[in-house]
Amino acid sequence: MSTAARRRTELDQSYLTHYATPESTGSAGFSIAYDVLRSKAEAFSLDWSGYDEGHFASLGSNIARCSPVVIPDLMRGLMWRGRHQSKVFQVFMQLCLHQFCRLASLEEPVQHLFNLPDLVAHVGGALFSFEGLKPLMHPGSDYIEFDDPLVTWMHFNGPVVWLAVMIVRSATNLADVFDFIVQCGHLGRCSKEEVDRLLDACLKEKLPNPEACKDPTMANYKDGVNGSPFFGMFLPSGAGASLASPDDLFTSTYHAFYSRLTKIEEAYDALFDVPEHDRLSIRFQQDKKKDARELTPYPIPPNP
């Protein structure tokens, strides 16, 4: 397994409110952002009857019929969602590097909302005890200053469900998994007592369970990216037979995810005319020594 994939440094939350809304909707930046939003709308094609995420999803999925004035708010929301998906993705990839989980978890698409197995629900509850994931339990407007107060969502728990499913599908020891997540620090601090209490309810469950949250109705979802009720959700799943073909599966999985996120970041930078020295995409981060780190296994301290 290669460890040559670059580890990203995530943006500070203030980045999303630092740059003012452009005065003109006719700039090249608006055109670039529109193309990215349209591609997300085209991917957001499944019928999730009975679930309504709010104006953020409805505007984004109907971008072709919306006024361009909503584009800055939609890009702020996509950036916020991309940031949290990146944190969750890095945790999963680190778990795979340390052989706590397996990339084979990605083979089947993930069903996010309905009839979650108890074990997935318990693992998701334990993950939500980490400070870095708690914002996903609340409306986007609690964290982002939108121009239009209606552009919000109820919550964005899709990444947490995704990570819980990846863990349940391939982990053999939940206590070891959560000990590692605490040590690596990607998700911030947590209440160990709460994690232990939540895990006590499921440590006797059979692991792994490769069938967890499997949904064959999403088998044809394009590009091996999650079908979900959340607009702008692009964590990988449903890769199927393609997992067996690349020579370097770890690196190809890593770069496939960040190629999607980079498109969002570059559109955001163009729309808000972000100076090059502040830009987030990998192309502009490569010359920053402080960000030029490799995604190598996080060292586990020896037992005392």
Side-chain angles (χ1 to χ4, degrees):
M1 181 182 293
S2 169
T3 60
R6 227 176 119 268
R7 174 180 170 185
R8 291 181 24 101
T9 298
E10 291 310 314
L11 71 152
D12 182 86
Q13 190 69 52
S14 63
Y15 190 94
L16 296 176
T17 57
H18 185 68
Y19 299 99
T21 300
E23 294 182 0
S24 171
T25 61
S27 67
F30 265 88
S31 178
I32 294 170
Y34 172 80
D35 287 343
V36 167
L37 288 165
R38 185 180 60 184
S39 71
K40 296 302 175 188
E42 291 172 351
F44 188 67
S45 58
L46 297 181
D47 178 19
W48 293 87
S49 57
Y51 182 82
D52 180 10
E53 196 187 350
H55 281 77
F56 178 78
S58 61
L59 289 172
S61 60
N62 292 284
I63 187 64
R65 296 186 290 274
C66 289
S67 166
V69 298
V70 304
I71 287 178
D73 279 344
L74 293 176
M75 287 305 305
R76 290 183 181 107
L78 276 185
M79 282 285 287
W80 190 91
R81 291 184 167 206
R83 169 186 182 245
H84 286 285
Q85 289 178 79
S86 181
K87 288 193 301 185
V88 166
F89 179 76
Q90 284 194 39
V91 168
F92 173 64
M93 297 299 273
Q94 287 283 353
L95 288 169
C96 290
L97 278 170
H98 282 283
Q99 300 182 4
F100 292 117
C101 291
R102 297 176 61 242
L103 286 170
S105 305
L106 301 171
E107 288 185 4
E108 298 292 342
V110 176
Q111 186 277 112
H112 284 85
L113 287 180
F114 310 113
N115 300 318
L116 294 180
D118 289 344
L119 187 53
V120 171
H122 282 304
V123 172
L127 289 170
F128 268 128
S129 73
F130 287 85
E131 289 183 355
L133 296 180
K134 287 182 178 179
L136 300 179
M137 302 171 68
H138 305 288
S141 55
D142 288 356
Y143 300 92
I144 306 172
E145 187 177 345
F146 292 122
D147 293 334
D148 184 344
L150 291 178
V151 182
T152 188
W153 55 79
M154 295 188 300
H155 51 67
F156 184 48
N157 64 8
V160 176
V161 174
W162 179 89
L163 182 56
V165 171
M166 295 300 107
I167 291 171
V168 170
R169 284 181 177 180
S170 62
T172 57
N173 189 309
L174 291 180
D176 287 347
V177 165
F178 277 87
D179 283 345
F180 175 77
I181 294 175
V182 171
Q183 290 178 39
C184 76
H186 288 323
L187 302 182
R189 295 180 296 178
C190 73
S191 165
K192 187 177 186 304
E193 293 76 12
E194 187 171 351
V195 170
D196 291 344
R197 178 179 62 80
L198 288 163
L199 291 181
D200 280 344
C202 55
L203 285 177
K204 294 181 181 180
E205 296 281 348
K206 183 180 178 180
L207 284 170
N209 177 9
E211 301 296 308
C213 293
K214 178 180 176 180
D215 189 342
T217 65
M218 294 189 291
N220 295 322
Y221 197 77
K222 62 176 66 176
D223 299 328
V225 179
N226 259 5
S228 86
F230 303 101
F231 181 74
M233 176 83 171
F234 54 91
L235 284 161
S237 75
S242 65
L243 283 177
S245 56
D247 293 331
D248 192 336
L249 176 58
F250 180 86
T251 300
S252 62
T253 301
Y254 179 90
H255 284 295
F257 174 82
Y258 280 109
S259 68
R260 291 188 283 269
L261 180 55
T262 294
K263 291 178 181 178
I264 295 173
E265 291 173 333
E266 290 182 339
Y268 182 94
D269 289 339
L271 175 63
F272 291 96
D273 196 23
V274 178
E276 287 194 5
H277 65 273
D278 282 341
R279 295 192 174 191
L280 292 171
S281 62
I282 286 177
R283 183 160 61 92
F284 288 97
Q285 287 198 23
Q286 283 174 341
D287 294 331
K288 300 179 182 180
K289 293 183 180 179
K290 66 178 181 179
D291 294 338
R293 297 177 289 180
E294 300 295 314
L295 185 56
T296 51
Y298 185 90
I300 299 179
N303 291 325

